[in-house]
């Protein structure tokens, strides 16, 4: 028998959501899942309950997690949710959306007797599989305590930052930093190549010095092989840079980042991993 008493819903089984939900399932949580594309639920048919609709999932569960792509996707799901009975239910959105949208959903749910936690994550697909994500939580302390046991199954650390909106604010900040880091890595590798230093040697120097970090190490293989399958798609970084600018990131790098990632998107790199910006910058320089 599971020690977890709540019935848990999970909406959004994409590249991040699927492994996160799978970690809940493996822990023995009574799990109900929904995804718009039914084929993404196939891996859950034996250990969980696959629901035919969002309304069906919400009706049967106590705590509902959502992991979706952007503001539009989150609004669409919560508009459906809010047509039903949400009284006493707790909704936990782990998507990266605007602080404004997150707070509006929180307020509407509260007015209907529900509750809301914003809990976006730091980490990409591999940490999602490993259960080593970092959650940035904005909610009442009571709701944070209620959801903590389940977040702990999907992440290694939970940062409680204050009321609704605080988690999203922190996520926009960390992704703003990463957008700078990835563009900086790409430019450094291209500069090194121009001076006759191989990618292998440059990345080894970066990773073995004070410049190295988990973010540099996880992108090393893709950089060396010049192959960019999406662990975190470039289009998602563009979205997050724009969200940061909208939230007030009026900083020296802001427009540079927006211009680079937008141009990379326009050139067809949007579905590649974010470090594919390296390939875009190399192609751009060759075409000058």
């Amino acid at each position: 028998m599971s020690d977890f008493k709540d019935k848990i819903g999970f909406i959004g089984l994409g590249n991040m959501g699927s492994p996160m939900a799978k970690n809940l399932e493996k822990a023995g949580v009574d799990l109900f899942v929904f995804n718009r594309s039914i084929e993404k639920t196939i891996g859950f048919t034996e250990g969980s309950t696959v629901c035919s609709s969002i309304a069906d999932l919400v009706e049967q569960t106590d705590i509902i997690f959502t992991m979706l792509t952007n503001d539009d996707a989150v609004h669409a799901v919560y508009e459906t949710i809010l047509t039903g009975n949400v009284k006493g239910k707790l909704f936990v959105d782990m998507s990266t959306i605007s602080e404004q949208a997150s707070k509006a959903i929180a307020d509407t749910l509260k007015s209907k007797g529900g509750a809301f936690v914003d809990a976006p994550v730091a980490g990409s697909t591999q940490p999602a599989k490993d259960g080593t994500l970092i959650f940035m939580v904005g909610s009442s302390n009571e709701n944070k305590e209620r959801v903590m046991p389940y977040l702990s199954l999907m992440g290694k650390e939970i940062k409680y930052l204050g009321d609704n909106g605080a988690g999203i604010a922190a996520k926009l900040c960390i992704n703003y930093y990463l957008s700078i880091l990835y563009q900086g890595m790409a430019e450094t590798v291209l500069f090194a190549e121009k001076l006759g230093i191989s990618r292998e040697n440059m990345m080894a120097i970066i990773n073995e010095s004070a410049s190295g970090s988990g973010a540099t190490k996880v992108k090393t293989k893709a950089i060396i092989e010049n192959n960019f399958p999406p662990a975190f798609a470039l289009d998602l970084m563009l979205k997050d840079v724009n969200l940061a600018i909208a939230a007030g990131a009026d900083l020296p790098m802001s427009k540079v980042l927006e211009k680079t990632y937008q141009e990379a998107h326009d050139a067809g790199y949007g579905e590649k991993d974010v470090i594919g910006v390296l390939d875009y910058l190399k192609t751009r320089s060759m075409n000058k």
Side-chain angles (χ1 to χ4, degrees):
M1 290 289 293
S2 170
D3 293 331
F4 301 103
K5 297 178 181 178
D6 296 296
K7 292 183 177 181
I8 303 298
F10 203 108
I11 300 171
L13 301 173
N15 289 342
M16 291 291 289
S18 183
M20 292 168 73
K22 186 57 71 173
N23 283 331
L24 293 174
E25 183 186 78
K26 289 175 181 176
V29 169
D30 191 3
L31 185 66
F32 297 71
V33 300
F34 173 82
N35 195 78
R36 185 177 57 180
S37 303
I38 191 68
E39 63 270 14
K40 292 186 178 180
T41 66
I42 291 172
F44 293 88
T45 53
E46 292 186 10
S48 302
T49 302
V50 175
C51 298
S52 59
S53 68
I54 292 171
D56 180 36
L57 181 144
V58 172
E59 183 179 355
Q60 297 184 73
T61 53
D62 307 304
I63 300 176
I64 298 93
F65 291 92
T66 52
M67 186 60 166
L68 304 161
T69 307
N70 52 31
D71 279 36
D72 289 343
V74 172
H75 276 305
V77 166
Y78 278 90
E79 282 174 8
T80 300
I81 287 169
L82 288 163
T83 61
N85 179 22
V86 299
K87 189 172 183 179
K89 297 181 185 289
L90 176 60
F91 296 84
V92 185
D93 184 46
M94 303 176 294
S95 320
T96 303
I97 58 174
S98 67
E99 189 177 357
Q100 180 182 14
S102 185
K103 286 182 176 180
I105 292 167
D107 290 343
T108 306
L109 282 168
K110 186 176 180 181
S111 72
K112 292 178 175 288
F116 185 77
V117 174
D118 50 279
V121 303
S124 58
T125 51
Q126 193 58 51
K129 292 174 185 175
D130 296 340
T132 57
L133 296 166
I134 297 172
F135 286 93
M136 294 159 277
V137 176
S139 72
S140 70
N141 188 63
E142 177 186 0
N143 289 329
K144 182 261 293 184
E145 291 298 322
R146 185 179 173 192
V147 77
M148 183 81 78
Y150 303 102
L151 294 180
S152 297
L153 298 175
M154 298 181 284
K156 66 178 181 180
E157 193 163 352
I158 299 158
K159 292 287 188 185
Y160 178 57
L161 298 159
D163 210 347
N164 290 123
I168 285 292
K171 177 59 187 280
L172 295 182
C173 293
I174 192 62
N175 275 21
Y176 183 79
Y177 168 70
L178 286 173
S179 69
I180 297 171
L181 178 63
Y182 291 140
Q183 181 165 343
M185 284 172 62
E187 292 184 12
T188 298
V189 167
L190 293 175
F191 180 44
E193 284 188 321
K194 187 175 183 178
L195 299 182
I197 307 299
S198 70
R199 293 187 183 191
E200 291 87 344
N201 285 333
M202 194 68 249
M203 290 310 300
I205 293 166
I206 289 172
N207 289 331
E208 293 166 17
S209 70
S211 304
S213 67
T216 66
K217 291 171 184 175
V218 79
K219 299 302 183 187
T220 295
K221 185 174 185 288
I223 288 171
I224 291 172
E225 295 180 355
N226 202 55
N227 184 32
F228 309 106
F232 183 75
L234 188 145
D235 271 352
L236 294 178
M237 185 59 83
L238 173 60
K239 175 202 66 161
D240 293 350
V241 167
N242 285 328
L243 285 175
I245 291 171
D250 183 15
L251 299 162
M253 286 294 295
S254 303
K255 293 301 181 183
V256 174
L257 296 165
E258 191 277 333
K259 182 175 185 293
T260 300
Y261 289 111
Q262 183 64 55
E263 287 177 352
H265 163 84
D266 294 344
Y269 290 82
E271 294 184 4
K272 294 182 182 291
D273 189 75
V274 61
I275 201 59
V277 71
L278 184 155
D279 200 30
Y280 161 69
L281 290 170
K282 183 174 183 177
T283 301
R284 187 181 74 172
S285 67
M286 291 170 61
N287 292 336
K288 281 186 176 180

